[in-house]
């Protein structure tokens, strides 16, 4: 796995780049200034460095000069990141030995393309050379004879790489075309492999990849191409000719399919591969289960060249992952269109914060004892300049997939705290603001420091901030989660468990975590007045929460009848369309100014429940 150092003094930009690289499984290191960047480069010897030009103390030119003067770091590929794109600046960097320039703002595709080009060129130029980190001497040629074809093979698995696939594809295509046959490319991606690396370490992950390669190689036919594309992705290139003398098409395909007919469909090949990979792997006395997603493209209908076919197979594989993984999908033009739409939307989302396209809406939380507003949940909305309002269900998953959720989540926290403090400064009744934390945010090593900075910047008393977490976030590492929650609680903020009851382990974990509030999911509140099961569950949840000294908020309350049942069961707070939809900050402020209250009478409520 390639290691990349990012030297950038602007925290938001640095974090965005680190998130992008992390999503494609580079090992990433971040440095907030030039001096630290030089130190980390000498310590970790990255495979490539991305460096901002304009930085205080030691700028990018100083960093590059220091690294090029050190024989140990002299050959590391170096790409400048700059908002200044005139020829003089570029020439200055090139004279110092820079390999490339990226002008801000740049797109994800531009960044990854520049990195890939530099890494391929560097590997080609320095094939057979090694860097010795312990001695400051010039690179020494490895005394072992270099394999003449080492450029074409993956170092970890010894499988062919993309370069060999490209070189072998054209002759295969020409031969198959003459025979009137066809070619299938299967792009195979392991599902949630990053989690294995994060939990068990990269060394364990590498061993698992070697086992996966071995298992895949046992199922391919002689003459097919099995390659490792990058990190956790593999490809198989299969070809069939119409010539009946091609004996591969029947007897040697039994590993792929139970069909004994002449030429099996790629779908019949993909399922046995999935079945093979779902069998447990035993490594270091540990049993590991994995699944994979497979995308299939066919020559010639899905592409005329290998790049187009690989790209389309990758699109189909991504779609299989979106559907939950452990399945295969064949490419269709519709998938490509959707993929382009997602890519366009992703590019727009990257600039949404700085272009002030994101807004916070606030949905009031009402106390049932007095009927007044006691808080609000902050909900992010995106108003795209061309497409109008983008539904959260569309852009939030995209933000999570691309890593943008961390930057967006931090903006939400800061904006919500600033707004809440602003209302208080205007003399409005103090209310608590609830903000959802994503999985990535909660697992940031410096979450507490970030939160302290946000609260200090806004001047908001921590007791008026509530952090909402879902069960799926909490159960990843229970002991670590408990420690982190206690650390957050010590700062004075409130912690709530969101969507309670929708997970599998809610009851068993509830006592372990230091929560303040519990939110009953909408699925239990809906039709609670007519659904006996929902009513019984809600009653039990409220009683249990109160026995643990937790306050309860019921979400999605839309009817007076639902409110009546919740009131009778002594629910503490509600939120939902019965009182108000999510509204802009100005509208919520007006509610506070006017002292808007929940219009209900206990006598009437009792009548509704009888």
């Amino acid at each position: 796995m390639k290691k990349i150092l990012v030297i950038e003094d602007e925290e938001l930009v640095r974090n965005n780049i680190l998130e992008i690289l992390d999503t494609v499984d580079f090992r990433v290191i971040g440095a907030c200034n030039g001096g630290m960047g030089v130190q980390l480069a000498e310590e970790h010897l990255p495979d490539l460095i991305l460096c901002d030009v304009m930085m205080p103390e030691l700028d990018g030119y100083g960093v590059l000069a220091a690294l090029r003067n050190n024989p140990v770091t002299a050959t590391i590929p170096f790409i400048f990141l700059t908002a200044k794109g005139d020829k003089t600046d570029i020439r200055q960097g090139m004279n110092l030995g820079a390999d490339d320039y990226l002008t801000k703002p740049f797109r994800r595709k531009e960044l990854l393309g520049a990195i890939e080009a530099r890494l391929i060129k560097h590997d080609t130029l320095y094939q057979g050379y090694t860097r010795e980190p312990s001695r400051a001497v010039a690179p020494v040629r490895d005394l072992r004879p270099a394999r003449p074809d080492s450029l074409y093979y993956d170092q970890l698995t010894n499988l062919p790489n993309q370069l060999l696939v490209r070189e072998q594809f054209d002759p295969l295509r020409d031969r198959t075309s003459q025979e009137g046959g066809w070619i299938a490319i299967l792009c195979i991606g392991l599902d949630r492999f990053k989690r294995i690396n994060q939990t068990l370490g990269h060394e364990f992950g590498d061993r698992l990849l070697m086992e996966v390669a071995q298992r895949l190689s046992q199922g391919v036919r002689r003459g097919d191409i099995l390659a490792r594309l990058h990190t956790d992705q593999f490809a198989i290139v299969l070809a069939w000719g119409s010539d009946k003398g091609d004996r591969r098409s029947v007897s040697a395909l039994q590993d792929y399919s139970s069909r004994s007919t002449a030429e099996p469909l790629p779908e019949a090949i993909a399922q046995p591969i999935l079945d093979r990979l779902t069998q447990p792997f035993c490594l270091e006395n540990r049993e590991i289960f994995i699944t994979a997603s497979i995308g299939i493209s066919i020559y010639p209908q899905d592409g005329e060249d290998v790049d187009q076919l690989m790209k389309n197979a990758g699109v189909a594989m991504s779609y299989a992952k979106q559907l939950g993984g452990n399945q295969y999908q064949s490419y269709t033009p519709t998938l490509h269109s959707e993929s382009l739409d997602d890519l366009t939307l992703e590019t727009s989302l990257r600039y949404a914060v700085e272009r002030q396209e994101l807004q916070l809406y606030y949905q009031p939380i009402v106390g049932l004892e007095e009927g007044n507003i006691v808080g609000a949940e902050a909900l992010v909305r995106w108003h795209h300049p061309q497409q109008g309002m983008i539904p959260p269900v569309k852009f939030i998953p995209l933000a999570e997939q691309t890593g943008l959720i961390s930057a967006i989540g931090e903006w939400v926290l800061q904006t919500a705290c600033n707004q809440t403090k602003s209302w208080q400064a205007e003399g409005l009744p103090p209310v608590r603001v609830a903000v959802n934390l994503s999985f990535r945010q909660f697992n940031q090593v410096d979450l507490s420091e970030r939160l302290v900075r946000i609260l200090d910047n806004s001047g908001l008393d921590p007791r008026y901030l509530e952090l909402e977490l879902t069960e799926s976030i909490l159960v990843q590492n229970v002991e670590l989660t408990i420690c982190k929650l206690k650390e957050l609680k010590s700062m004075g903020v409130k912690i709530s468990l969101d969507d309670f009851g929708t997970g599998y382990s809610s009851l068993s974990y509830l006592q372990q975590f230091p929560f303040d509030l519990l939110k009953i999911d909408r699925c239990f509140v809906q039709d609670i007045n007519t659904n006996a099961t929902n009513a019984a569950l809600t009653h039990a949840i409220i009683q249990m929460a109160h026995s643990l000294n937790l306050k309860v908020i019921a979400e999605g309350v839309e009817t007076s009848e639902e409110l009546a049942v919740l009131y009778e069961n002594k629910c503490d707070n509600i939120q939902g369309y019965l009182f108000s939809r999510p509204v802009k900050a100005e509208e919520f402020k007006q509610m506070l100014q006017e002292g808007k209250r929940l219009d209900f009478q206990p006598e009437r409520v009792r009548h509704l429940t009888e």
Side-chain angles (χ1 to χ4, degrees), residues 96-168:
L96 288 171
D99 294 278
D100 202 353
Y101 260 81
L102 280 174
T103 304
K104 302 176 186 176
F106 44 79
R107 298 183 177 183
R108 181 177 188 269
K109 184 177 180 181
E110 294 176 285
L111 174 66
L112 297 179
I115 291 173
E116 182 181 11
R118 286 302 111 197
L119 290 176
I120 290 175
K121 183 175 181 180
H122 182 267
D123 289 347
T124 303
L125 289 174
Y126 292 93
Q127 188 70 40
Y129 285 81
T130 59
R131 284 202 302 267
E132 177 57 59
S134 61
R135 293 181 299 170
V137 296
V140 179
R141 180 172 291 279
D142 193 336
L143 297 178
R144 294 169 297 175
R147 287 172 48 185
D149 57 354
S150 57
L151 182 62
Y152 297 95
Y153 287 86
D154 173 58
Q155 294 181 0
L156 178 66
T157 63
N158 286 326
L159 292 177
N161 58 22
Q162 290 192 57
L163 188 58
L164 184 59
V165 172
R166 286 188 172 94
E167 290 204 4
Q168 292 189 351

Side-chain angles (χ1 to χ4, degrees), residues 53-307:
V53 173
M54 304 302 295
M55 293 184 293
E57 299 180 16
L58 184 64
D59 64 12
Y61 301 128
V63 171
L64 180 57
L67 296 178
R68 291 294 184 252
N69 288 329
N70 184 339
V72 177
T73 59
T75 62
I76 299 176
F78 193 99
I79 299 177
F80 270 130
L81 312 175
T82 180
K84 300 170 64 178
D86 59 73
K87 293 182 179 179
T88 303
D89 294 310
I90 293 176
R91 176 54 57 191
Q92 182 179 354
M94 291 304 185
N95 288 340
L96 288 171
D99 294 278
D100 202 353
Y101 260 81
L102 280 174
T103 304
K104 302 176 186 176
F106 44 79
R107 298 183 177 183
R108 181 177 188 269
K109 184 177 180 181
E110 294 176 285
L111 174 66
L112 297 179
I115 291 173
E116 182 181 11
R118 286 302 111 197
L119 290 176
I120 290 175
K121 183 175 181 180
H122 182 267
D123 289 347
T124 303
L125 289 174
Y126 292 93
Q127 188 70 40
Y129 285 81
T130 59
R131 284 202 302 267
E132 177 57 59
S134 61
R135 293 181 299 170
V137 296
V140 179
R141 180 172 291 279
D142 193 336
L143 297 178
R144 294 169 297 175
R147 287 172 48 185
D149 57 354
S150 57
L151 182 62
Y152 297 95
Y153 287 86
D154 173 58
Q155 294 181 0
L156 178 66
T157 63
N158 286 326
L159 292 177
N161 58 22
Q162 290 192 57
L163 188 58
L164 184 59
V165 172
R166 286 188 172 94
E167 290 204 4
Q168 292 189 351
F169 182 81
D170 286 346
L172 182 64
R173 177 190 58 189
D174 295 342
R175 184 171 67 252
T176 304
S177 297
Q178 291 173 3
E179 298 171 350
W182 50 272
I183 299 173
I185 292 185
L186 279 63
C187 185
I188 306 166
L190 305 184
D191 298 326
R192 294 170 285 279
F193 178 75
K194 187 185 298 183
R195 183 178 171 187
I196 293 176
N197 271 344
Q198 292 171 340
T199 305
L200 300 175
H202 290 283
E203 185 176 346
F204 186 93
D206 286 346
R207 289 194 59 192
L208 179 58
L209 288 172
M210 294 169 67
E211 293 292 326
V212 169
Q214 179 66 24
R215 194 170 290 188
L216 289 174
S217 66
Q218 293 170 356
V220 298
R221 303 173 305 176
R222 197 158 139 201
D224 295 333
I225 304 171
L226 168 63
R228 185 186 180 207
L229 303 181
H230 55 78
T231 315
D232 60 347
Q233 289 189 17
F234 299 82
I236 298 177
V237 183
L238 314 161
W240 285 271
S242 63
D243 185 354
K244 300 304 179 185
D246 183 0
R247 300 184 181 276
R248 297 186 306 156
S249 60
V250 182
S251 60
L253 286 173
Q254 298 307 310
D255 276 345
Y256 284 143
S257 173
S258 60
R259 300 185 184 189
S260 58
T261 53
E263 292 174 357
L265 296 172
E267 288 85 349
I269 298 168
Q271 187 58 54
I273 293 175
L274 294 176
D275 295 340
R276 185 183 291 272
L277 291 177
T278 55
Q279 298 302 311
F281 290 84
C282 294
L283 292 171
E284 299 179 3
N285 296 320
R286 188 189 298 270
E287 198 172 45
I288 295 293
F289 291 86
I290 64 170
T291 59
S293 299
I294 300 178
I296 305 169
S297 64
I298 306 293
Y299 168 83
Q301 57 261 44
D302 295 332
E304 293 288 338
D305 57 59
V306 66
D307 289 327

Side-chain angles (χ1 to χ4, degrees), residues 499-603:
D499 299 336
F500 180 80
T502 59
Y504 296 101
S505 309
S506 299
L507 295 176
S508 63
Y509 286 116
L510 190 57
Q511 289 182 294
Q512 298 184 53
F513 297 124
F515 298 120
D516 299 288
L517 303 102
L518 182 151
K519 300 190 78 172
I520 303 176
D521 188 73
R522 164 67 184 154
C523 66
F524 295 104
V525 175
Q526 189 174 20
D527 300 325
I528 192 175
N529 55 303
T530 58
N531 187 315
T533 301
N534 280 2
L537 286 170
T538 301
H539 175 73
I541 290 171
I542 293 172
Q543 282 196 323
M544 178 190 61
H546 285 168
S547 69
L548 296 172
N549 295 318
L550 301 178
K551 296 289 186 181
V552 180
I553 303 173
E555 296 183 289
V557 181
E558 296 184 356
T559 69
S560 298
E561 289 77 14
E562 292 170 352
L563 171 63
V565 177
L566 292 167
Y567 181 83
E568 283 296 307
N569 282 281
K570 296 181 171 51
C571 183
D572 301 289
N573 307 292
I574 64 136
Q575 70 179 95
Y577 277 34
L578 176 65
F579 184 81
S580 173
R581 69 190 190 286
V583 296
K584 292 183 179 180
E586 281 301 313
E587 194 171 341
F588 184 79
K589 173 184 172 181
Q590 187 175 353
M591 290 181 186
L592 294 178
Q593 289 174 329
E594 297 174 353
K596 182 176 178 179
R597 297 167 59 86
L598 183 65
D599 183 20
F600 79 104
Q601 299 172 352
E603 294 76 13

Side-chain angles (χ1 to χ4, degrees), residues 287-502:
E287 198 172 45
I288 295 293
F289 291 86
I290 64 170
T291 59
S293 299
I294 300 178
I296 305 169
S297 64
I298 306 293
Y299 168 83
Q301 57 261 44
D302 295 332
E304 293 288 338
D305 57 59
V306 66
D307 289 327
Q308 188 67 39
L309 289 165
M310 292 280 277
K311 180 173 118 182
N312 290 342
V315 168
M317 182 202 69
S318 297
Y319 182 59
K321 283 182 177 287
Q322 291 174 22
L323 294 178
N326 195 24
Q327 60 183 285
Y328 59 83
Q329 292 290 327
S330 293
Y331 171 79
T332 65
T334 303
L335 292 182
H336 182 66
S337 176
E338 291 175 354
S339 179
L340 284 176
D341 289 343
D342 285 347
L343 185 60
T344 302
L345 198 65
E346 176 189 333
T347 303
S348 300
L349 186 56
R350 290 192 178 277
Y351 298 109
V353 175
E354 61 186 76
R355 292 173 180 168
Q356 298 182 333
E357 295 171 6
L358 298 182
Q359 295 177 320
L360 278 193
Y361 279 51
Y362 298 86
Q363 185 169 35
I365 298 172
V366 180
L368 289 189
E369 185 175 344
E370 301 291 339
N372 58 318
I373 298 174
V374 297
E377 181 177 1
L379 301 165
V380 64
R381 298 291 186 262
W382 179 19
H383 191 276
H384 193 282
Q386 284 81 41
Q387 300 182 38
M389 197 66 77
I390 306 293
V393 70
K394 187 170 184 179
F395 76 84
I396 292 297
L398 183 63
E400 290 173 341
Q401 292 167 18
T402 58
L404 291 172
I405 195 68
S406 295
I408 292 174
E410 188 151 342
W411 175 86
V412 170
L413 266 172
Q414 186 68 71
T415 304
C417 289
N418 290 345
Q419 184 64 75
T420 306
K421 181 61 178 179
S422 174
W423 288 328
Q424 293 178 4
E426 294 181 50
L428 297 173
V431 293
R432 186 172 63 247
V433 64
V435 178
N436 290 278
L437 282 190
S438 69
F439 176 83
R440 283 180 179 269
Q441 275 182 287
F442 185 72
N443 285 283
Q444 288 173 324
V445 177
D446 58 345
L447 175 61
S448 297
E449 289 82 356
R450 290 171 182 268
L451 199 54
V452 168
R453 184 170 62 250
I454 287 170
L455 290 168
D456 286 344
N457 289 340
S458 66
L460 182 67
D461 189 320
R463 62 180 169 154
Y464 293 112
L465 175 62
E466 175 187 326
L467 302 178
E468 292 189 4
L469 300 109
T470 60
E471 183 185 354
S472 60
I473 294 175
L474 302 172
V475 299
Q476 299 295 327
N477 186 326
V478 175
E479 291 184 3
L480 183 62
T481 296
I482 292 172
C483 291
K484 184 165 283 191
L485 289 178
K486 287 181 178 178
E487 184 178 3
L488 294 174
K489 285 259 300 178
S490 68
M491 298 168 54
V493 301
K494 303 295 183 183
I495 308 292
S496 67
L497 177 59
D498 197 12
D499 299 336
F500 180 80
T502 59

